[in-house]
Amino acid sequence: MTLLCGDCRDLMPAQGPYDLILADPPYGETSLSWDRRVEGWLPLAAQALTPSGSLSVFGSLRSFMATEVDFRAARLRHAQEIVWEKQNGSVFHADRFRRVHELIVQFYPATARWQDIYNVVATTDDARARTVRRKRRPPHTGAIAAGIYRSLDGGPRLARSVQRFRNVHGRAIHPTEKPVPLLDLLVRVSCPPDGLVGDWFAGSGAAGVACRLAGRRYVGCEIDPDMARRARDRLAAILPFPVGEPS
């Protein structure tokens, strides 16, 4: 496992190719000095993927709307989105709903086919017992290809696109730190065993912890030297071997 300190645009492309890139870039929604959108990283990330690799990006709807042209320019195609539901959230405006969710959107290169992208279908075992049935696409989906899903009595069902995980408020070492169980889910479904995960905005190194738990290789990059040091200390505490130092 390696955690670099510096600008991901300078350091991360050479560390690939990556089976999965996780990115939690600044959303650009506040007046905080560090909350500024980073330009130019998306095409570099797209080029650093393996032929079966994908990119999962954290953000708000506003941030994705503001950067939609950048995803198109990087020739990245939307695969799916997950809504991360928290037990509490942020109040940006006192006259609107309290926002208790964030989006994780998965992309893959437009030159690839989704069938060639590594993807483990996420399931959950909380389905109620029911008879076997076949599900075909509803007529209103038009040209979307038909899919057949076989549901066994009391067996697994497809995981829902809304996933609930407690955030880490009160115990985080980074202001936008994501929970390890959520990152662990993303890593397991989108990166093959012993594959390489690139964490381009590493922050606290939580994704590195998830990779350790899932048995995936990890390269992270954090631009803040103090945070990079704290993230290395966090990773070193769970690893039986030294965490890589910056070049």
Side-chain angles (χ1 to χ4, degrees):
M1 283 196 175
T2 303
L3 200 146
L4 307 172
C5 181
D7 193 314
C8 63
R9 295 167 292 190
D10 297 330
L11 301 179
M12 291 299 279
Q15 302 296 318
Y18 303 98
D19 297 285
L20 169 65
I21 291 177
L22 292 174
D24 185 18
Y27 297 178
E29 293 186 336
T30 71
S31 60
L32 296 171
S33 60
W34 54 264
D35 191 19
R36 298 291 181 268
R37 293 195 181 98
V38 179
E39 305 291 338
W41 71 274
L42 271 173
L44 298 173
Q47 295 164 14
L49 289 170
T50 65
S52 61
S54 64
L55 166 69
S56 287
V57 185
F58 283 83
S60 65
L61 179 59
R62 176 182 293 182
S63 69
F64 282 114
M65 291 175 65
T67 55
E68 183 268 345
V69 65
D70 299 327
F71 286 94
R72 288 186 178 272
R75 302 195 66 195
L76 289 166
R77 181 176 296 168
H78 169 274
Q80 60 184 335
E81 69 277 351
I82 298 172
V83 178
W84 168 34
E85 181 187 356
K86 316 173 190 179
Q87 83 280 8
N88 56 37
S90 304
V91 179
F92 289 103
H93 304 281
D95 57 350
R96 306 177 199 182
F97 288 97
R98 184 183 185 93
R99 194 171 81 188
V100 294
H101 74 278
E102 291 183 41
L103 298 177
I104 307 125
V105 184
Q106 183 183 21
F107 299 90
Y108 64 102
T111 53
R113 301 183 308 162
W114 173 247
Q115 297 93 319
D116 299 325
I117 303 301
Y118 184 85
N119 175 60
V120 175
V121 178
T123 60
T124 178
D125 293 323
D126 63 352
R128 293 176 297 176
R130 56 191 175 185
T131 58
V132 176
R133 58 177 173 168
R134 290 181 179 273
K135 293 182 178 179
R136 299 182 182 275
R137 64 173 175 83
H140 68 266
T141 56
I144 296 178
I148 298 175
Y149 170 55
R150 191 173 181 87
S151 178
L152 301 176
D153 286 353
R157 68 179 179 189
L158 290 176
R160 304 301 176 90
S161 61
V162 177
Q163 291 287 312
R164 183 174 175 82
F165 291 92
R166 291 187 64 86
N167 58 32
V168 289
H169 288 174
R171 49 193 171 89
I173 64 175
H174 188 277
T176 64
E177 184 172 333
K178 302 302 185 286
V180 169
L182 170 59
L183 296 165
D184 178 73
L185 172 64
L186 300 177
V187 167
R188 290 180 188 274
V189 300
S190 299
C191 182
D194 200 37
L196 178 62
V197 174
D199 185 11
W200 286 46
F201 301 87
S204 69
V209 177
C211 288
R212 171 61 175 163
L213 296 175
R216 272 66 169 178
R217 294 176 293 127
Y218 172 83
V219 176
C221 186
E222 171 55 39
I223 199 168
D224 180 350
D226 180 63
M227 186 56 63
R229 177 188 57 79
R230 297 176 71 183
R232 283 198 200 99
D233 290 344
R234 178 183 189 178
L235 294 177
I238 63 167
L239 298 176
F241 44 87
V243 178
E245 295 292 325
S247 55

